[in-house]
């Protein structure tokens, strides 16, 4: 006799769970940094196009395929792919839908521990850097990025104790199951996250010009840096000059820049870069498309699993749109208005430009909060908000692995949690030990968190539009729908989305792996991620670990009786 089928307790529960899966560190750190780096308003145009062409279509496809597979008793990507296509190859392709969330969890939970550790240390008054170097030293000590194994020390100011705590917390939630664990956490965590974000947003927007000595560094200037469609740079007239161009924003900043240019004896000039010029940059489109995957949690294999626990006539169209809208509100309306404007107001554009996700979040922003009145409270609130965003995402990454192990191995919740706990504990320990320059984290993130996500998203939309068929797919999608998907999305989901994905993936592959310059059309140096495989032990072991986990999942899939039934289109149980 089979165990009772898990299910969501309410429609709001599944919407908040999917929104919680999507809302994560990328909303409050990665998105603002990319928007500022790639032109603000111009980036938002590419971001909006990517949302309509790949975000919504792939998300809806995942909702429909997951619910369909769930009616046959399959809750994992291998089971869903096999039951929909009725072919053997599909279950092996579905392994990617298990690999992606499980492998990402192994390093994501490490970053999650940084957020909790920073929050507590802020509230304890132990984290108040006064200079960029000091902030960098704190980050290096906490994460162990200075040397392999250095993060394994037990201290308030190292990641290990916090990692143990959040790791156990994640698995306690996942052990409690769908409604009592994931759903309850998201029902509590998501509203609290939004409340904290709104408090922080109000504080940031009322900062004005916090340093009287720098009247041009204001919140308004920060918003301009982030969102202005046209960019104005001060750049050297000699292309061989060592002087780096820098952006100016606001009337005061522009007036000051004009004086600087006038006093440079022709060595500097003002350059105005319009929206069209910015949109011609292929890297902008690559970044916008990549952010959509991180934003909406599409291509992770999570939505298929979550929607498989829905009933046959439960709405997936409006639910999918609502979950996506909640994520966009958190990303554009909250994340895009907190991090960068606050950093510009306190530190100026020059200190923010070019910062990556970790640089902005863990090096620059601690400096901002240290200078802010009641900075210990607001700094702790900010990083606790990041922790909440991270934990609602990390638990979603565990459920695909749990569903896969229970389904493929015919085991119960306790055993599946134990197996996945041991596997991910080894993976997280590996990431923690090989912490120098965050090499293991960065390598796994590149090959799994970027490369395999592109692959999985492409496979999913091709299955939906071509293998399953757009007619069957839309019939399933609109069944029980509170609103029907507009008919023009049939063309987008069958033709535009796959073509756009394949084009973006091809450009990303050429640029990020082989160093092909998409603007000058010249070949450059092979990417460090490739050369590291010849010279860096941590990178070599990281890729080897990915292959070992893939082999483990492959062997389980090959021996699964449930997936043999799925290949024939049969329910998991008679």
């Amino acid at each position: 006799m089979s165990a009772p089928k898990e299910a969501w307790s309410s429609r709001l529960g599944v919407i908040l769970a999917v929104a919680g899966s999507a809302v994560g560190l990328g909303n409050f750190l990665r998105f603002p940094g990319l928007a500022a780096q790639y032109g603000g308003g111009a980036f938002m145009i590419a971001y909006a196009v990517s949302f309509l062409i790949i975000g919504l279509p792939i998300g809806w496809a995942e909702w429909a395929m997951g619910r369909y597979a769930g009616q046959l008793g399959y809750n994992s990507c291998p089971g869903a792919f096999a039951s929909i296509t009725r072919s053997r190859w599909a279950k092996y392709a579905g392994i990617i839908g298990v690999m992606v969330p499980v492998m990402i969890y192994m390093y994501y939970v490490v970053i999650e521990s940084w957020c909790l550790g920073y929050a507590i240390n802020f509230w304890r008054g132990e984290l108040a850097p006064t200079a960029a170097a000091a902030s960098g030293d704190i980050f290096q000590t906490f994460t162990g990025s200075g040397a392999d194994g250095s993060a394994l020390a037990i201290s308030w100011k190292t990641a290990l104790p916090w990692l143990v705590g959040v790791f156990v917390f994640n698995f306690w939630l996942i052990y409690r199951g769908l409604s009592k664990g994931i759903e309850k956490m998201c029902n509590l965590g998501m509203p609290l996250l939004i409340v904290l974000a709104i408090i922080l947003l109000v504080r940031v927007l009322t900062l004005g010009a916090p340093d009287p000595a720098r009247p041009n560094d204001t919140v308004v200037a920060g918003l301009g840096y982030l969102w202005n469609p046209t960019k104005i740079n001060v750049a050297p007239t000699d292309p061989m000059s060592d002087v780096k161009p820098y952006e100016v924003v606001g009337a005061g900043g522009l007036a000051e820049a004009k004086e600087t240019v006038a006093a440079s004896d022709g060595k500097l000039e003002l350059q105005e870069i319009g929206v069209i010029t910015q949109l011609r940059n292929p890297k902008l489109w690559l970044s916008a498309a990549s952010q959509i995957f991180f934003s909406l949690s599409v291509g992770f294999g999570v939505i298929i699993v979550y929607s498989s626990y829905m009933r046959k006539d439960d709405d997936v169209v409006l639910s999918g749109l609502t979950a996506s809208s909640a994520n966009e509100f958190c990303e554009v309306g909250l994340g895009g208005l907190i991090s960068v404007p606050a950093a510009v107001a306190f530190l100026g554009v020059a200190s923010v430009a070019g910062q990556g996700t970790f640089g902005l979040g863990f090096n620059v922003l601690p400096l901002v909060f240290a200078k802010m009145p009641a900075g210990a409270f607001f700094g702790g609130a900010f990083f606790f908000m990041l922790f909440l965003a991270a934990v609602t995402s990390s638990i979603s990454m565990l459920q695909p692995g749990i569903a896969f192990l229970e389904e493929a191995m015919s085991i119960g919740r306790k055993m599946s949690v134990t197996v996945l706990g041991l596997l991910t504990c080894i993976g997280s320990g590996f990431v923690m030990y090989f912490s120098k320059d965050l090499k293991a984290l960065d390598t796994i993130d590149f090959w799994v968190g970027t490369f395999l996500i592109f692959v999985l998203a492409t496979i999913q939309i091709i299955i939906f539009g071509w293998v399953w068929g757009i007619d069957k797919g839309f019939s399933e999608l609109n069944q029980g729908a509170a609103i029907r998907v507009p008919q023009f999305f049939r063309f987008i989901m069958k033709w535009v989305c796959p073509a756009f994905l394949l084009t973006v993936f091809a450009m990303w592959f050429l640029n990020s792996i082989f160093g092909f310059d998409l603007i000058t059309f010249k070949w450059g140096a092979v990417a460090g991620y490739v050369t590291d495989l010849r010279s860096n032990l941590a990178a070599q072991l990281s890729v080897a670990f990915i292959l070992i986990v893939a082999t483990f999942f492959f062997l389980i899939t090959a021996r699964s009786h449930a997936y043999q039934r799925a290949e024939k289109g049969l329910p998991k149980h008679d």
Side-chain angles (χ1 to χ4, degrees):
M1 183 176 179
S2 61
K5 177 179 168 64
E6 283 196 288
W8 303 102
S9 66
S10 67
R11 178 180 171 185
L12 178 62
V14 67
I15 291 173
L16 285 177
V18 174
S21 169
V23 175
L25 300 176
N27 296 71
F28 298 97
L29 296 179
R30 192 175 189 269
F31 169 77
L34 285 176
Q37 181 181 353
Y38 287 103
F43 178 84
M44 285 307 301
I45 293 173
Y47 180 85
V49 170
S50 298
F51 176 80
L52 292 173
I53 291 179
I54 60 177
L56 271 181
I58 296 175
W60 274 333
E62 289 184 303
W63 280 85
M65 291 191 292
R67 188 185 62 177
Y68 173 85
Q71 304 314 304
L72 296 174
Y74 301 105
N75 303 115
S76 70
C77 263
F81 285 6
S83 62
I84 289 171
T85 64
R86 301 189 181 185
S87 62
R88 180 174 297 180
W89 68 266
K91 67 181 181 183
Y92 296 117
I95 293 173
I96 303 175
V98 184
M99 285 286 299
V100 167
V102 169
M103 293 298 302
I104 289 179
Y105 172 83
M106 294 176 188
Y107 66 82
Y108 197 88
V109 73
V110 173
I111 305 173
E112 188 177 312
S113 71
W114 301 348
C115 298
L116 181 60
Y118 265 56
I120 301 300
N121 276 293
F122 254 113
W123 282 331
R124 291 178 68 237
E126 296 292 326
L127 211 166
T130 56
S135 184
D137 290 342
I138 291 171
F139 180 70
Q140 184 181 90
T141 300
F142 198 92
T143 62
S145 60
D148 287 336
S150 59
L152 299 181
I154 298 177
S155 165
W156 285 91
K157 297 182 180 180
T158 58
L160 183 59
W162 309 106
L163 175 61
V164 173
V166 299
F167 194 95
V168 171
F169 181 56
N170 273 277
F171 271 90
W172 176 73
L173 288 172
I174 207 71
Y175 179 74
R176 286 173 57 84
L178 209 65
S179 59
K180 294 181 180 179
I182 296 174
E183 185 174 348
K184 185 165 288 186
M185 176 62 203
C186 292
N187 285 346
L188 294 172
M190 284 298 294
L192 179 56
L193 182 157
I194 292 173
V195 168
L196 283 174
I198 290 174
I199 291 172
L200 287 163
L201 176 61
V202 170
R203 185 66 192 99
V204 167
L205 294 182
T206 55
L207 285 172
D211 187 348
R214 300 202 318 272
N216 294 329
D217 292 340
T218 65
V219 170
V220 173
L223 293 173
Y225 174 66
L226 192 59
W227 299 113
N228 281 351
T230 299
K231 297 296 179 182
I232 299 177
N233 290 343
V234 175
T237 53
D238 181 3
M240 303 303 293
S241 172
D242 294 332
V243 178
K244 292 183 178 180
Y246 62 91
E247 185 177 338
V248 294
V249 291
L254 181 58
E256 186 178 295
K258 288 180 179 179
E259 293 177 1
T260 302
V261 169
S264 70
D265 294 327
K267 295 179 180 179
L268 297 175
E269 64 178 355
L270 288 178
Q271 294 179 343
E272 183 174 307
I273 307 173
V275 173
I276 301 301
T277 300
Q278 295 173 63
L279 288 175
R280 289 174 183 158
N281 182 2
K283 290 184 178 180
L284 180 149
W285 290 93
L286 291 178
S287 297
S290 297
Q291 181 60 24
I292 285 295
F293 289 123
F294 283 95
S295 291
L296 300 182
S297 209
V298 296
F300 276 69
V302 171
I303 297 176
I304 282 183
V305 174
Y306 273 10
S307 60
S308 71
Y309 297 102
M310 300 176 73
R311 292 181 292 269
K312 183 178 181 179
D313 291 323
D314 283 348
D315 165 76
V316 294
V317 178
L318 184 58
S319 296
L321 183 60
T322 304
S324 298
S325 300
N327 172 77
E328 293 308 303
F329 168 72
C330 289
E331 180 154 289
V332 179
L334 297 177
L337 299 179
I338 293 175
S339 305
V340 173
V344 169
F346 276 100
L347 305 173
V349 171
S351 296
V352 180
Q355 296 286 346
T357 298
F358 297 148
L360 176 64
F362 294 95
N363 290 342
V364 173
L365 290 177
L367 286 171
V368 171
F369 294 119
K371 295 174 180 290
M372 186 183 293
F377 168 76
F378 287 109
F382 177 80
F383 283 102
F384 191 72
M385 176 194 70
L386 292 185
F387 167 71
L388 289 175
V391 77
T392 56
S393 295
S394 60
I395 54 176
S396 75
M397 298 171 194
L398 292 174
Q399 186 59 32
I402 295 293
F404 169 74
L405 293 172
E406 289 179 352
E407 195 167 272
M409 300 177 70
S410 299
I411 57 178
R413 192 77 172 187
K414 184 180 293 185
M415 182 58 70
S416 65
V417 168
T418 301
V419 172
L420 189 62
L422 288 173
L423 178 63
T424 52
C425 183
I426 293 170
S428 295
F430 175 86
V431 171
M432 281 288 286
Y433 180 79
F434 289 102
S435 58
K436 184 178 180 181
D437 300 326
L438 305 179
K439 181 59 69 175
L441 187 158
D442 189 42
T443 301
I444 297 174
D445 178 57
F446 179 81
W447 292 110
V448 176
T450 303
F451 177 75
L452 284 185
I453 285 179
F454 266 112
V455 174
L456 181 60
T458 304
I459 290 173
Q460 286 175 161
I461 199 65
I462 289 175
I463 286 178
F464 181 87
W466 292 88
V467 181
W468 200 15
I470 200 70
D471 292 332
K472 289 182 181 178
F474 254 66
S475 177
E476 177 64 32
L477 190 57
N478 285 319
Q479 183 168 330
I483 59 172
R484 297 179 70 85
V485 179
Q487 286 297 305
F488 66 83
F489 270 101
R490 293 171 66 94
F491 179 77
I492 290 176
M493 296 176 81
K494 183 168 183 176
W495 295 98
V496 179
C497 183
F500 186 82
L501 268 177
L502 290 170
T503 301
V504 168
F505 182 68
M507 289 194 302
W508 173 87
F509 198 82
L510 287 171
N511 178 255
S512 298
I513 294 182
F514 293 110
F516 183 73
D517 192 314
L518 297 170
I519 298 177
T520 63
F521 294 100
K522 294 181 180 179
W523 294 97
V526 176
Y529 295 104
V530 177
T531 57
D532 280 347
L533 299 182
R534 297 196 299 265
S535 58
N536 188 281
L537 178 62
Q540 293 168 346
L541 292 176
S542 298
V543 172
F545 184 65
I546 294 171
L547 295 175
I548 289 170
V549 174
T551 302
F552 174 63
F553 289 161
F554 179 88
L555 293 175
I556 293 175
T557 301
R559 295 176 61 85
S560 170
H561 176 69
Y563 296 151
Q564 292 174 9
R565 292 181 62 84
E567 295 169 19
K568 301 173 184 177
L570 299 174
K572 187 170 71 173
H573 301 293
D574 290 323

